[in-house]
């Protein structure tokens, strides 16, 4: 990832000279560098919630004006577009790192640019997200360790399995309820953070909708397996589907869906005419 100072230079290098704008922006370079350093130190110490917005203003330039010059205009320059394109292309398969469902469309300022203008073009503060997640997050900033939203560059939680679901049967149909199942290695703060993130971005609801699609897509295959070998064949088929997806992503919504269905006897047996001994 590029340094804050490199990103800033790329965004302001071609600023207009009218009203002394370019000179004023170049003069602010050291402020931006120090702001980026404070952000990284706070991230390393896991106390982003303690950052004081007063330390992230730019002398002699109003916050909204600085954001307009450096970010809104700067990201439209040749150098700025390179930075933006690199950030937007970073998430695998263009998936939003906050919800893991939506398609990346926008850049979100992790620490709001309205409160932390000196960080407005810092790559560490720019997260590619889907439109829905950007709208939900808005100008929220961390106000406690527990309420600190997961940062995709800093919080590596994908290497452990934490997403789980349970099957709920209702009038002949099955639906899934997703929830956070924290690994034993997580401390209380991380567990609370992930649960709060899960709630804020309505991931339970979004994953349930995705699960319904997955269940619909797999129905034909399940029926074929059930006719060929009963519940045992269905379970094997679903486990294979789950393993294929979970091998790539331990918290794949589809993978968890198939894993949950494979463990559900009622779903695997299907209609009551099936022999429960299969």
């Amino acid at each position: 990832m590029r340094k804050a100072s490199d990103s800033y230079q790329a965004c302001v290098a071609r600023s207009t000279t009218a009203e002394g704008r370019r000179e004023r922006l170049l003069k602010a370079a050291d402020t931006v560098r120090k702001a980026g350093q404070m952000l990284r130190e706070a991230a390393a110490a896991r106390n982003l919630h303690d950052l004081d917005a007063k330390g992230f203003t730019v002398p002699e330039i109003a916050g909204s004006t600085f954001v307009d010059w450096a970010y809104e205009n700067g990201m439209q320059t040749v150098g700025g577009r390179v930075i933006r394109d690199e950030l937007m292309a970073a998430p695998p398969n263009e998936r939003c790192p906050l919800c893991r469902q939506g398609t990346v469309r926008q850049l979100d300022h992790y620490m709001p640019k309205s409160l932390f203008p000196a960080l407005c073009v810092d790559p560490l503060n720019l997260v590619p997200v889907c439109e829905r997640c950007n709208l939900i997050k808005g100008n929220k900033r961390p106000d406690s360790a527990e309420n600190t939203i997961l940062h995709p560059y800093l919080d590596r939680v994908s290497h452990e399995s934490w997403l789980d679901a349970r099957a709920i049967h209702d009038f002949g149909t099955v639906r899934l309820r997703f929830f956070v199942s924290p690994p034993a290695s997580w401390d209380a703060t991380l567990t609370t953070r992930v649960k709060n993130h899960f709630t804020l971005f309505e991931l339970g609801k979004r994953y349930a909708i995705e699960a319904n699609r997955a269940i619909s897509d797999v129905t034909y295959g399940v029926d074929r397996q059930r006719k060929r070998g009963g519940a045992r064949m269905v379970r094997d088929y679903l486990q294979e589907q789950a393993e294929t997806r979970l091998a790539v992503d331990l918290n794949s919504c589809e993978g968890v869906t198939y894993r949950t269905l494979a463990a559900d006897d009622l779903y695997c047996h299907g209609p009551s005419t099936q022999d429960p001994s299969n």
Side-chain angles (χ1 to χ4, degrees):
M1 178 177 290
R2 291 175 182 263
K3 296 179 180 179
S5 56
D6 292 340
S7 176
Y8 183 69
Q9 289 295 333
C11 288
V12 306
R14 294 183 177 237
S15 299
T16 178
T17 57
E19 301 177 346
R21 180 185 299 189
R22 183 183 301 172
E23 181 181 356
R24 294 168 70 187
L25 286 172
L26 292 177
K27 186 178 178 181
D30 193 52
T31 296
V32 171
R33 181 189 61 79
K34 290 178 179 178
Q37 182 177 344
M38 287 191 291
L39 175 67
R40 284 154 179 77
E41 290 174 353
R46 297 193 177 279
N47 60 3
L48 289 170
H49 56 285
D50 284 336
L51 286 177
D52 187 349
K54 294 178 181 178
F56 293 85
T57 59
V58 179
E60 301 180 10
I61 306 178
S64 59
T65 299
F66 182 77
V67 170
D68 184 51
W69 290 354
Y71 178 73
E72 302 296 347
N73 293 331
M75 281 291 177
Q76 301 305 315
T77 64
V78 174
R81 284 197 296 270
V82 170
I83 304 295
R84 180 182 178 84
D85 290 347
E86 288 178 356
L87 292 167
M88 294 292 284
N93 303 315
E94 298 184 356
R95 289 296 184 187
C96 172
L98 297 185
C99 67
R100 300 153 50 83
Q101 294 294 311
T103 301
V104 166
R105 298 291 185 209
Q106 303 169 347
L107 285 178
D108 170 69
H109 289 80
Y110 186 84
M111 304 300 286
K113 61 183 182 293
S114 59
L115 299 174
F116 298 82
L119 298 175
C120 69
V121 294
D122 189 326
L124 187 62
N125 197 45
L126 294 171
V127 179
V129 297
C130 67
E131 185 175 0
R132 177 172 176 173
C133 284
N134 202 8
L135 181 64
I136 290 174
K137 180 179 175 294
N139 286 328
K140 293 182 179 67
R141 59 154 296 181
D143 58 9
S144 68
E146 291 75 15
N147 284 331
T148 301
I149 293 170
L150 295 178
H151 192 305
Y153 308 149
L154 303 173
D155 298 300
R156 305 291 184 176
V157 297
S158 60
H159 65 287
E160 294 182 282
S161 176
W162 57 263
L163 182 64
D164 208 347
R166 64 175 62 92
I168 300 174
H169 294 268
D170 190 15
F171 298 104
T173 62
V174 62
R175 56 189 175 87
L176 298 191
R177 180 173 296 163
F178 288 83
F179 56 92
V180 174
S181 179
S185 60
W186 286 9
D187 59 28
T189 298
L190 180 58
T191 296
T192 302
R193 287 182 63 202
V194 174
K195 288 183 177 180
N196 287 342
H197 183 104
F198 190 87
T199 300
L200 175 64
F201 292 102
E202 302 177 334
L203 300 189
K205 179 180 179 180
R206 299 188 70 175
Y207 292 167
I209 292 173
E210 190 65 25
N212 286 338
R213 296 193 185 106
I215 292 171
S216 177
D217 290 344
V218 82
T219 296
Y220 176 74
V222 166
D223 287 344
R224 286 191 63 187
Q225 299 303 320
R226 191 176 286 125
K227 290 175 182 177
R228 291 173 58 190
R232 186 178 296 110
M233 289 286 287
V234 170
R235 188 172 292 109
D236 291 344
Y237 172 73
L238 291 171
Q239 286 176 342
E240 182 178 359
Q241 296 295 319
E243 290 171 3
T244 298
R245 290 159 177 81
L246 294 174
V248 178
D249 178 359
L250 289 174
N251 299 289
S252 161
C253 177
E254 280 194 354
V256 173
T257 295
Y258 295 136
R259 182 183 69 196
T260 302
L261 295 177
D264 186 72
D265 288 340
L266 187 56
Y267 180 80
C268 290
H269 284 295
S272 59
T273 53
Q274 296 293 327
D275 181 0
S277 64
N278 286 333

